[in-house]
Each structure stands twice: as C-alpha cells, then as structure tokens.
Amino acid sequence: MILNTEGQCIITQHEFLKLNLLSLSPMESHTTVPSNHEAETEPTEFEKNQKRYKDLIATFPHTKGWRPKGPLIEYHGCWFVQPLLEGCLYAQEFFQARPIDFLICSSAKTGTTWLKALTFAIVNRTCFDDSSNPLLKRNPHELVPFIENEFAFFPQVDVIKDKGNTLFSTHIPHGLLPKSIANSGCKMVYIWRDPKDTFISMWTFFQKQKSDFGPLNSLEESFDMFCRGTSVYGPYLDHVLGYWKAYQENPNQILFLKYEKMRADPLPYVKRLAHFMGYGFTVEEEKKGVVEKVVNLCSFETLKNLEVNEGEKVREDIPSVHWPNSAYFRKGMVGDWHNYLTPEMAARIDGLMHEKFKGSGLLEHDIDD
C-alpha cells in the first residue's frame, strides 16, 4: 500500500507495481522501477482484506483532524488516521505473537526511536562489533517494525520476513492489542513522557510533513485538540493509563518506563531493561563497559549525527517515505515545551493529567521509581 503525506491510502502496493510508479512521496525517494516479473506479484494478505477494513471503517465516527482534509477516525475510544486503523485491524486479525517476541509499546513521540535502538542493541550486542552494528547504517525504525505499519503494508521488508526477528513495536492502545499478544505471554516495555513535551514533539514532527490535505493547524488549535483527546492514537492520557493499569495487573509481562527519568540517568534503566528482556548483562560485561557502550551507541547525540540520520536521507526498504530519517531526531530534550506553551496552556494540561491519573498510583510511581 502507498500512503499519501497525511497517512491515507491512495494506491495499493500491488497497483504501485503495475503502474511502475517511483514514489508518491513529495520527498526524494531512492525506490527503483520494478521489473515486469515483479509487477506480477500477487496481492498481499492485507490487500486481500483491505476492502473489508475500509467498509468497516466507513461506519466509524469521523472528526476533524490536525489538517483540514485529514480526518481522525474513532475506534473503541481511540483516534486513528485511516491507514493506521486499517493496519491495526489487520494486526488484530493476523499478527501471531510468540512467547519469544518482545514488544516496544508507546504513544507517538514519547521516545519510541530511542527505545527501538536500545532493545535492538541489547539483543544483538554479541552479534556485531563496534563498527558493524546495523544501527550505524540504518534508522532504528528499519530494524524494529510496527505491527500496524510494516507488518500490514510492507511484508516484503527484511525484518518482517526474518522469522528470527523477535522485536516488534506498536502505538496501538493496550486494550486494542492483538489477542495473540496476551495469549502468547510475550513481554513488552512501555515508555511515556510528559504530555507537554509529547505534544510539542508531535506538532513539530507533523510540521516536517508535506501534505495535500491542507496546512497543519496552528499550535493553539492543535494543543486544544490534544487536550480534548483528538490526536493520533489519542487520547494520550488514556493511552498511558491503559498500559499503566496493565502493568499493575501483570508487572512480570510489562516494564513501565518514564522518558524523562531515563534521559536523566540511562545506565540503570538500560540494565533493568536488558534483565527484563532476558538479556541481562553479565558481571564480566559490566566490568568491560558493555552497558556504557550500548548507552553511548543509542544516545540521541550519536544517532542524530550518523550519516544515515542526517539531512533528507530516507529509508530505502519501503517504496514511499514521507519523513526524512532526521525528522526522528529533533532535540530529544526534556522541557522544550517552555519554548512553545504559555503558563496557562501548561497549567491546563498538567491539570488534566493530575485529574486523569488521580488515584491510579502512576504519579507516585513516577516519584518513587
């Protein structure tokens, strides 16, 4: 499937191959023209089911999105854009988690890229030396696929075809995860972030996206929608609370992390993450500084300055890309919201957060952890 800059389906991958299109992205693409043999590729499992998903989604509530022509669609209390909802429905039906799998879960713009890099580096630390790690040449999103994106739309990518891969990620709320995840007993990690910085990171990320669906809403209008819960994968606070409650019910299956605390002191959290994943660092590894090497390799500063993540470079394993790799490495700092939000806006979202989390134990966990 090819997606437009708003994330909506405009042509299936099967049709793409037939038409010999290079790319529908407004940004430069390195996709090559497929051969006639490739053009005869059978429709994917997702494409065979796509009309059914579209017909179902057409019956769901729609509302104005963050661009005038890009609506948000409600599904069980969560807001999606069309293709991601199609991908979610497909994952619910076809993603078969295994006990050995590990999921990186998050809402958008809360530290997902960093956590993907860390989990990949932890699992594969004995497979590569300091100069051959794939993270040096590929963006973390190429190495840890989304079950509602690559798994559905791009089953041809190496990481999906590789049955040895055990790392997957998702922005899907906990209550909408494929049932196979709970049934398999596979573990997952969830990371959340102060909602003020989450919003700013999301709004500035969308600014880097060219779109045929009109200009991005103003910061003030987008902020109001974010506070009211109408954002991609929102309401954000409900997203966090859903995973928090799941963590409380089953702390052996879910590791619950806070972005700000990890940024302040990543070493102990990386050790905890590795142990939780079943890849704990040995005493010998700790003496040799292996933990520090993982932290340094995956640091925001290291990843941001790699050639693969600079300028307008895009991932080459899928036929249409709407953000350069550099878009995933803006600042990564804590408290950047001070440069955008008024005190009144900050007070509004803080009040909503305290009201939503009151009595849940989440804020106390944040202090005591």
Side-chain angles (χ1 to χ4, degrees):
M1 164 179 281
I2 305 304
L3 312 179
N4 60 27
T5 52
E6 188 60 22
Q8 294 184 329
C9 170
I10 49 181
I11 187 171
T12 65
Q13 185 184 1
H14 184 55
E15 292 166 330
F16 170 91
L17 293 171
K18 284 185 176 179
L19 293 173
N20 281 345
L21 294 177
L22 287 175
S23 174
L24 293 176
S25 169
M27 296 184 293
E28 180 181 2
S29 173
H30 299 280
T31 306
T32 57
V33 178
S35 68
N36 290 333
H37 175 71
E38 293 171 323
E40 299 302 320
T41 303
E42 287 295 317
T44 66
E45 193 66 37
F46 170 79
E47 289 165 357
K48 293 175 184 177
N49 290 276
Q50 188 177 18
K51 184 181 184 301
R52 179 162 55 88
Y53 300 144
K54 286 181 177 294
D55 290 344
L56 181 61
I57 291 171
T59 68
F60 297 163
H62 289 53
T63 194
K64 176 186 176 183
W66 286 26
R67 297 183 189 274
K69 299 178 184 178
L72 290 170
I73 305 162
E74 185 183 11
Y75 176 57
H76 289 284
C78 179
W79 295 100
F80 292 82
V81 291
Q82 175 85 23
L84 294 179
L85 182 48
E86 292 177 16
C88 173
L89 294 173
Y90 179 77
Q92 287 178 333
E93 190 172 4
F94 289 98
F95 182 73
Q96 294 300 317
R98 303 163 297 180
I100 60 172
D101 290 332
F102 189 84
L103 264 76
I104 294 89
C105 306
S106 62
S107 188
K109 312 313 297 175
T110 60
T112 310
T113 307
W114 185 28
L115 204 53
K116 284 188 177 189
L118 284 171
T119 53
F120 181 86
I122 288 169
V123 169
N124 295 284
R125 66 181 182 269
T126 62
C127 302
F128 309 103
D129 58 33
D130 294 344
S131 62
S132 64
N133 195 299
L135 283 166
L136 299 173
K137 299 293 184 181
R138 301 173 71 181
N139 185 277
H141 291 286
E142 292 186 49
L143 303 172
V144 183
F146 283 103
I147 64 173
E148 69 270 33
N149 190 357
E150 286 91 347
F151 175 72
F153 303 128
F154 306 111
Q156 79 280 7
V157 299
D158 291 343
V159 71
I160 295 295
K161 292 192 296 184
D162 180 10
K163 299 305 181 184
N165 173 58
T166 60
L167 297 176
F168 297 90
S169 68
T170 188
H171 289 323
I172 297 174
H174 187 270
L176 297 180
L177 290 175
K179 287 188 171 25
S180 70
I181 292 175
N183 294 339
S184 72
C186 70
K187 289 185 175 182
M188 63 187 79
V189 60
Y190 183 80
I191 189 167
W192 76 290
R193 187 180 190 183
D194 183 296
K196 300 185 293 296
D197 276 332
T198 298
F199 164 73
I200 291 302
S201 183
M202 185 182 297
W203 187 73
T204 54
F205 183 71
F206 287 144
Q207 282 187 313
K208 296 177 175 68
Q209 179 189 32
K210 292 183 180 180
S211 173
D212 297 328
F213 290 85
L216 183 66
N217 291 347
S218 68
L219 183 144
E220 291 76 14
E221 185 175 2
S222 298
F223 179 78
D224 179 64
M225 295 180 71
F226 184 82
C227 288
R228 289 188 285 109
T230 46
S231 59
V232 178
Y233 294 107
Y236 173 66
L237 297 177
D238 288 350
H239 199 289
V240 177
L241 192 59
Y243 276 93
W244 168 250
K245 290 179 177 178
Y247 158 75
Q248 288 182 305
E249 293 171 2
N250 196 349
N252 293 323
Q253 186 185 15
I254 302 178
L255 179 63
F256 198 85
L257 300 174
K258 180 78 182 291
Y259 178 84
E260 287 79 4
K261 301 191 80 167
M262 285 190 68
R263 281 287 285 172
D265 188 16
L267 206 66
Y269 288 99
V270 171
K271 290 169 65 174
R272 183 191 300 184
L273 175 61
H275 177 75
F276 181 79
M277 296 178 71
Y279 290 85
F281 295 96
T282 65
V283 173
E284 189 66 24
E285 283 181 314
E286 292 196 31
K287 287 180 180 178
K288 291 181 178 179
V290 175
V291 188
E292 288 83 355
K293 283 186 177 182
V294 168
V295 170
N296 291 334
L297 171 65
C298 300
S299 72
F300 180 86
E301 293 73 23
T302 297
L303 295 177
K304 180 182 176 70
N305 292 307
L306 292 173
E307 183 180 354
V308 68
N309 295 322
E310 290 183 333
E312 294 301 309
K313 291 183 176 63
V314 297
R315 56 187 294 183
E316 301 179 11
D317 60 334
I318 58 178
S320 187
V321 183
H322 306 302
W323 278 278
N325 289 342
S326 60
Y328 297 97
F329 304 96
R330 187 179 67 94
K331 291 184 178 180
M333 65 181 290
V334 174
D336 188 43
W337 64 266
H338 287 282
N339 297 315
Y340 295 85
L341 304 181
T342 66
E344 292 76 18
M345 295 166 83
R348 177 184 177 187
I349 201 165
D350 283 343
L352 290 169
M353 179 177 68
H354 284 275
E355 182 64 28
K356 175 64 69 173
F357 295 162
K358 183 172 60 178
S360 70
L362 196 159
L363 296 177
E364 292 79 7
H365 174 270
D366 185 34
I367 295 172
D368 298 335
D369 185 25

